[in-house]
Amino acid sequence: MNDGEAWRMPQYGAEHGSALLVIVLVSVLCILLARRSQDTAAVERAARTCGWALLVVSTVWTVWALLPMNWILQESLPFHFSDASRFLAAIALITRSRWSIAILYYWGLTLNLQSILTPDLNYLYFEALEYLMYWLLHGAVLIAPIVLVWGLGYRPTWRGYAAALAATGLWAGNAYVVNVLTGANYSYVSGGPKGSSLLDVLGEWPIYLLSVAGLMIVVWGLMTWPWERRRTTNPTSRADRFGLVHRAGHHARTPADASGQLAPQR
């Protein structure tokens, strides 16, 4: 731990490759089950159950890091994007609140994906437990938006895109203030991770912050455009009063809407 290398999981080794394989297989399985099921209500109940499980596990893991025996000022506070994303995923699965789905779509499939492709996993105390929790939580945050969008038909909009950009700026700003006060590097807004990552090719700090912002604006825009383009030809219903998310195709109406009344807005 003194060198910072002996306790870090190597990228693209057997441990990393095994985790990637499991995540891909589970993602494909979840999509197939969600899309082939004729009972949308059953799929939503299963998603809600998974959301509650994720919420419990995320809460326990956050508290675990704050215990005196595990406390490290530069590591234990929940100010990484991954810390917020796991609770965001739980909220989206449990409540289907449209703001959480909108933000999770972008964070889960880009910021969280970087943590999966170029993990910065430091083993501090219990290697097996920390390995399991890292991949369980990051995998869940990737799979949740995949199921919600490609399985249950929720579609992000330009308003959802704008909300995600605003939420990202707000979270990054909060993390930077915490970093200034503690000397930490939460959310990597004060420097890049010690391991290899996309940030390595985006310039030195603080230049890479501008590069990342530009990439998010472009990439997230490209992630939104196909859904908005298809909405002009495919049936959707506005899923919330602010238009952050729409719901497509046969998913646009749920059993709760069968009476002709709109489902409660969140």
Side-chain angles (χ1 to χ4, degrees):
M1 189 163 173
N2 290 334
D3 330 296
E5 293 297 333
W7 287 75
R8 181 175 296 115
M9 189 199 75
Q11 295 179 356
Y12 302 108
E15 295 167 307
H16 187 188
S18 299
L20 290 177
L21 178 61
V22 170
I23 290 172
V24 169
L25 292 177
V26 173
S27 298
V28 172
L29 178 62
C30 288
I31 283 295
L32 290 177
L33 291 175
R35 291 182 68 88
R36 293 184 179 182
S37 174
Q38 299 300 312
D39 189 348
T40 302
V43 174
E44 293 198 349
R45 285 195 300 271
R48 188 174 295 110
T49 300
C50 290
W52 280 111
L54 178 59
L55 180 61
V56 170
V57 172
S58 298
T59 301
V60 171
W61 189 238
T62 300
V63 172
W64 171 266
L66 296 174
L67 294 177
M69 63 180 182
N70 302 321
W71 170 259
I72 299 175
L73 180 61
Q74 287 75 27
E75 297 282 348
S76 297
L77 295 174
F79 284 100
H80 280 298
F81 277 102
S82 58
D83 297 316
S85 296
R86 63 191 59 152
F87 286 100
L88 192 66
I91 292 170
L93 290 172
I94 295 168
T95 70
R96 244 86 75 213
S97 59
R98 292 5 179 197
W99 64 269
S100 63
I101 294 175
I103 298 172
L104 179 65
Y105 173 70
Y106 300 101
W107 286 16
L109 298 181
T110 57
L111 303 181
N112 177 69
L113 184 60
Q114 285 301 306
S115 296
I116 290 175
L117 297 178
T118 56
D120 185 31
L121 173 52
N122 298 303
Y123 297 130
L124 302 176
Y125 296 107
F126 305 103
E127 182 174 336
L129 177 62
E130 289 162 344
Y131 175 87
L132 173 64
M133 294 304 297
Y134 183 94
W135 291 111
L136 174 65
L137 294 173
H138 284 85
V141 171
L142 177 68
I143 294 168
I146 289 175
V147 170
L148 288 166
V149 173
W150 284 275
L152 291 174
Y154 292 98
R155 305 290 187 248
T157 67
W158 290 118
R159 291 185 180 184
Y161 161 80
L165 288 174
T168 304
L170 180 61
W171 186 264
N174 289 336
Y176 180 75
V177 171
V178 172
N179 292 345
V180 170
L181 295 175
T182 64
N185 187 23
Y186 292 107
S187 292
Y188 303 118
V189 294
S190 300
K194 293 181 180 179
S196 300
S197 73
L198 178 63
L199 299 180
D200 296 338
V201 298
L202 296 180
E204 298 293 331
W205 184 91
I207 299 301
Y208 76 73
L209 296 177
L210 297 177
S211 302
V212 169
L215 273 176
M216 286 192 300
I217 291 171
V218 173
V219 173
W220 290 5
L222 292 175
M223 290 169 61
T224 310
W225 175 73
W227 301 122
E228 286 289 72
R229 184 172 181 272
R230 290 179 64 183
R231 190 160 60 89
T232 61
T233 57
N234 293 332
T236 62
S237 65
R238 191 174 72 174
D240 73 303
R241 71 184 65 181
F242 302 109
L244 301 179
V245 171
H246 287 255
R247 204 164 187 195
H250 69 282
H251 295 293
R253 289 174 63 86
T254 66
D257 302 326
S259 64
Q261 297 179 350
L262 293 176
Q265 302 298 317
R266 295 187 178 94

